[in-house]
Amino acid sequence: MTIFKDKNDFIKQLEEQAMTTFGRDFRSCGAQDRYYVLASLIESKTLILRTATEKKAQILKAKKVFYFSMEFLLGRLLDNYLINFGVRDIVAEGLADYNETVENLCEREHDPGLGNGGLGRLAACFIDSLASLGYSGHGNGIRYRYGLFRQEIEGGRQVEKADSWLEFGYPWERRRPEDAVIVRYGGHVERDYTEAEPKFRWVGGELVRAVPYDVPILGYGGDTANTLRLWSAEPYEEIFDIDAFNRGDYALAQKHRADIEAITAILYPNDNGYRGKVLRVKQEYLFVAAGIRTILRSFRKKYSSDFRDLPDYVAIHTNDTHPALCAPELMRILVDEEGFSWDEAWDVVTKTISYTNHTILPEALEKWPIEMIRELLPRVYDFIEEIDRRYCEQFRKDHPGRNDLLKETAILWDGEVRMANLSVIAGHSVNGVAPLHTEILKKSVLHAFEETMPGRINNKTNGVTHRRFLAESNPDLAKLITETIGDGWMKDPEKLEELLKYADDPAFGEKIRAAKRANKIRLAAYVQRATGETIDPDTILDVQVKRFHAYKRQLLNIFKIMDLYERIVADPSFEPVPTTFLFAGKAAQGYDFAKDTIRLIHSVADVVNRDPRARNLIKVIFVPNYAV
């Protein structure tokens, strides 16, 4: 899709957008408003393309993928979408007429606070890839009002501050109140046994209005635009205590709204206590229930009134165990509302849902207290219980005497609902994210399922979009690659193998070294701005950037640095290659071990960086508030 004919056409549309958005010409806008105008203009183009993409998918009766994930670590979109539409040069040329640059406006964009680590980045890369390959694939998640948190360092310790990423608005989103879904928590189940088939109704409790905000996901080449739908919790009915307000108790007056909005206020609220656990499950059920309802509405409107056809047109993929409630929720709707038999509904559910496992640590697999789920989601829990009962009954028939395996695979055990087991049992495919990871799943964490359901566990290696992590983040190298082998690699990364023929080319090697040094200088400038610390670009950069966790081994890394330092101090003749060690990443608010590791890194940095014996050999720097 060509969105601008040339520079003059871009400037004309830019001025029209500025007048529509702010009622003034682009030149008189400040930098933040200029960013908003440009982003809004590009978003409007994706809206047109998204409509065309949807029509094409409907005509072709294309199967749609819905990717359910608690996190979508998108990063900034403006530069990425200028590249995907192929208009970055035209835009840069047009902005130059205003003495403005693409880089300056892109810096005004906030990272959306919708994710934290690899789970969220995988989700973002996955939906980017779907759009770039022309598939009809949509994300389904949560619109957190605040991100995980903005990380600051005070006295070597992590301090969490609110990440107000929506402070200046988010030009990429469109609120869709007409598609809102009512979600129920609590209440009770009414049972009617007077007819041949028992009837069940989930009634009472607390009703919440889940309102969707749609963000465009633009594929490279500008031919496909899909949707990331993010859900925000709002009151089903406005309850405002005017008497409390008039007494001056303003917080109490708005307590109902505040309690509802807390559901989608923040990514990963601390769940060390019971209330935190309840909030986490409320989050998970909100985006699952709202997402499933949206899929069924759209399917009935555009494809078929018979949900038995659902697996032919819809794939629901659950990214980790956070969306594990997809299966019992879909069962609930098919059985209670659509009149399916259990077997009919189960056939639809298991053919539609699949699951990605992300961890080999048993303690990291979600488990929730049975009583909490039963109280919070009584009818959904009925289905979890029945799924478990039928599974255990069939298991005993198929594997008599193997209670050791049943203990490991049952959904309900020792007072807990085991979400990973629910995800495996209710899905037709379970994948790990790397060959080694998948083999460990088969041999260790999920070995009982591998033994009893051979073939269900398979591997899908994680990937990242090279357009963001090479073309966008490393423009000097990207330019060199295109000059050397053409631009086909932007669409097909396997074409990068054509660079192998230049492996021994001295001139090409020299250009790569020049690009690498330019990047190290860029990084040094960023670190200087972020920390006040200086980096010698001629040192080796040893970088570990990821969320802080015991199994990510940041502690082992800092132990290595401590060992290096002690060797330097003990032996003046020992001179390792000068190295700068860079750390970045956040520790969960309630994860004391990870926060202590951050503190240790700063303590080591204080010692190493001040010691003249080590100053020219090793340096340790922590860069706060990691973002894409």
Side-chain angles (χ1 to χ4, degrees):
M1 177 179 175
T2 303
I3 60 173
F4 306 127
K5 297 173 190 173
D6 51 31
K7 182 187 82 168
N8 292 332
D9 182 40
F10 163 67
I11 289 175
K12 177 176 178 290
Q13 294 191 44
L14 188 70
E15 288 292 354
E16 290 172 353
Q17 185 71 44
M19 193 58 64
T20 300
T21 306
F22 293 114
R24 56 180 181 269
D25 61 77
F26 187 78
R27 192 175 299 279
S28 62
C29 290
Q32 189 66 40
D33 287 351
R34 285 183 173 189
Y35 153 72
Y36 202 95
V37 168
L38 178 56
S40 297
L41 176 59
I42 300 302
E43 189 275 340
S44 70
K45 301 300 181 182
T46 67
L47 193 63
I48 297 169
L49 181 59
R50 191 164 47 182
T51 302
T53 299
E54 187 63 27
K55 285 182 179 178
K56 180 181 177 182
Q58 196 169 340
I59 291 170
L60 295 175
K61 298 285 187 181
K63 190 168 187 175
K64 291 186 175 183
V65 178
F66 293 90
Y67 195 83
F68 281 61
S69 179
M70 281 282 277
E71 296 186 43
F72 287 92
L73 196 56
L74 296 177
R76 299 167 176 174
L77 296 181
L78 179 55
D79 202 28
N80 192 237
Y81 284 5
L82 293 178
I83 291 172
N84 286 359
F85 267 132
V87 296
R88 197 182 191 282
D89 290 343
I90 287 176
V91 169
E93 188 181 351
L95 291 177
D97 284 10
Y98 299 91
N99 197 30
E100 186 60 86
T101 66
V102 172
E103 291 78 10
N104 183 50
L105 297 191
C106 288
E107 281 296 315
R108 301 289 170 171
E109 182 169 353
H110 280 227
D111 267 51
L114 303 172
N116 176 39
L119 178 85
R121 192 54 230 174
L122 168 65
C125 288
F126 193 86
I127 57 177
D128 173 280
S129 183
L130 282 169
S132 295
L133 292 170
Y135 291 112
S136 182
H138 308 275
N140 188 77
I142 295 177
R143 181 184 183 264
Y144 304 103
R145 184 176 176 186
Y146 302 100
L148 185 70
F149 53 80
R150 187 179 81 252
Q151 181 193 54
E152 295 183 3
I153 303 297
E154 295 179 5
R157 299 170 187 263
Q158 172 180 290
V159 176
E160 299 95 17
K161 302 290 180 69
D163 174 20
S164 304
W165 68 279
L166 290 167
E167 181 181 4
F168 297 108
Y170 190 55
W172 302 106
E173 68 179 11
R174 296 230 173 187
R175 177 181 160 90
R176 304 291 189 188
E178 69 278 8
D179 291 339
V181 173
I182 306 305
V183 177
R184 187 185 304 273
Y185 300 103
H188 63 279
V189 179
E190 291 182 348
R191 294 168 167 82
D192 181 1
Y193 297 102
T194 59
E195 300 180 26
E197 289 294 327
K199 301 293 182 184
F200 302 89
R201 289 180 65 239
W202 183 7
V203 298
E206 175 185 51
L207 298 180
V208 172
R209 190 165 175 256
V211 179
Y213 289 72
D214 288 349
V215 176
I217 302 300
L218 177 67
Y220 177 73
D223 297 322
T224 299
N226 291 322
T227 301
L228 169 59
R229 174 155 280 192
L230 302 169
W231 296 95
S232 180
E234 297 183 6
Y236 172 66
E237 58 179 340
E238 197 67 56
I239 299 175
F240 182 80
D241 190 337
I242 196 166
D243 290 334
F245 189 86
N246 288 333
R247 291 195 309 269
D249 197 341
Y250 307 126
L252 180 63
Q254 302 181 78
K255 183 178 184 302
H256 177 72
R257 170 171 283 275
D259 287 346
I260 298 298
E261 291 180 344
I263 296 172
T264 52
I266 192 168
L267 169 66
Y268 294 147
N270 189 334
D271 65 348
N272 286 348
Y274 183 80
R275 292 183 66 184
K277 287 180 171 62
V278 169
L279 186 57
R280 286 282 290 273
V281 174
K282 278 188 169 185
Q283 286 187 333
E284 293 179 3
Y285 184 63
L286 183 97
F287 89 98
V288 162
I292 292 288
R293 184 67 69 180
T294 295
I295 291 170
L296 295 181
R297 280 179 184 171
S298 176
F299 178 81
R300 176 161 274 165
K301 180 180 178 181
K302 297 178 180 178
Y303 291 100
S304 170
S305 60
D306 188 350
F307 289 137
R308 291 169 184 82
D309 298 330
L310 192 70
D312 295 331
Y313 296 97
V314 169
I316 294 173
H317 192 79
T318 56
N319 191 29
D320 213 347
T321 55
H322 309 118
L325 293 172
C326 279
E329 174 64 9
L330 184 52
M331 287 292 294
R332 183 188 70 80
I333 294 173
L334 294 178
V335 173
D336 286 359
E337 299 180 15
E338 300 298 326
F340 278 39
S341 70
W342 181 276
D343 290 339
E344 288 174 327
W346 188 244
D347 183 61
V348 170
V349 167
T350 54
K351 287 180 179 176
T352 303
I353 295 175
S354 52
Y355 158 57
T356 291
N357 171 282
H358 280 270
T359 182
I360 59 172
L361 297 178
E363 66 270 21
L365 297 174
E366 278 190 308
K367 305 177 188 71
W368 301 114
I370 285 176
E371 285 306 314
M372 185 183 81
I373 300 294
R374 180 187 280 135
E375 182 179 343
L376 187 62
L377 307 169
R379 188 56 181 150
V380 177
Y381 177 77
D382 286 348
F383 281 91
I384 295 173
E385 190 174 59
E386 183 64 9
I387 292 169
D388 181 68
R389 187 192 69 78
R390 289 173 181 248
Y391 171 77
C392 292
E393 184 179 89
Q394 189 62 45
F395 187 95
R396 291 186 180 100
K397 291 178 183 177
D398 296 340
H399 308 282
R402 293 306 305 272
N403 286 337
D404 57 326
L405 297 181
L406 182 60
K407 177 182 177 182
E408 291 191 44
T409 59
I411 299 167
L412 305 179
W413 199 270
D414 198 21
E416 293 181 318
V417 182
R418 302 193 288 192
M419 307 303 269
N421 289 4
L422 173 60
S423 299
V424 174
I425 290 167
H428 61 272
S429 174
V430 179
N431 71 276
V433 293
L436 178 60
H437 170 227
T438 302
E439 285 307 305
I440 294 173
L441 289 179
K442 291 180 178 181
K443 293 176 182 177
S444 178
V445 186
L446 301 180
H447 76 94
F449 284 114
E450 175 65 11
E451 188 171 335
T452 57
M453 300 177 176
R456 182 163 300 193
I457 302 171
N458 58 86
N459 182 64
K460 299 289 183 294
T461 298
N462 268 11
V464 294
T465 167
H466 62 295
R467 286 173 291 274
R468 178 179 285 273
F469 290 102
L470 176 52
E472 184 183 352
S473 67
N474 199 337
D476 289 343
L477 182 57
K479 182 180 178 182
L480 173 58
I481 292 171
T482 297
E483 289 173 350
T484 305
I485 63 171
D487 63 2
W489 66 276
M490 289 282 285
K491 186 75 173 177
D492 179 5
E494 291 186 1
K495 291 188 181 296
L496 290 169
E497 289 186 346
E498 294 176 18
L499 290 172
L500 290 173
K501 66 182 73 168
Y502 299 94
D504 299 319
D505 183 333
F508 182 72
E510 189 56 42
K511 290 176 181 177
I512 281 189
R513 281 188 288 276
K516 195 171 187 177
R517 180 173 173 78
N519 282 336
K520 292 173 81 171
I521 292 171
R522 283 174 58 212
L523 177 60
Y526 172 77
V527 170
Q528 172 77 38
R529 293 196 303 272
T531 69
E533 295 284 351
T534 58
I535 291 178
D536 179 356
D538 291 320
T539 62
I540 288 177
L541 295 183
D542 185 317
V543 183
Q544 186 176 19
V545 179
K546 41 180 74 238
R547 66 187 176 90
F548 272 71
H549 197 290
Y551 84 90
K552 300 292 188 183
R553 296 184 173 86
Q554 287 97 341
L555 183 63
L556 188 63
N557 195 348
I558 197 67
F559 280 173
K560 175 188 73 174
I561 297 167
M562 292 164 69
D563 178 66
L564 269 176
Y565 172 71
E566 290 185 353
R567 291 171 66 189
I568 290 169
V569 171
D571 181 3
S573 67
F574 175 62
E575 292 191 1
V577 177
T579 303
T580 301
F581 296 92
L582 280 176
F583 291 88
K586 297 176 182 179
Q589 290 143 295
Y591 194 176
D592 291 336
F593 173 88
K595 294 172 90 167
D596 285 344
T597 303
I598 291 175
R599 186 182 173 198
L600 176 62
I601 290 170
H602 282 87
S603 297
V604 171
D606 284 343
V607 173
V608 170
N609 297 348
R610 296 177 188 213
D611 193 329
R613 293 169 294 182
R615 188 175 295 149
N616 295 322
L617 297 174
I618 57 175
K619 188 167 189 175
V620 182
I621 299 174
F622 186 96
V623 183
N625 204 42
Y626 161 72
V628 178

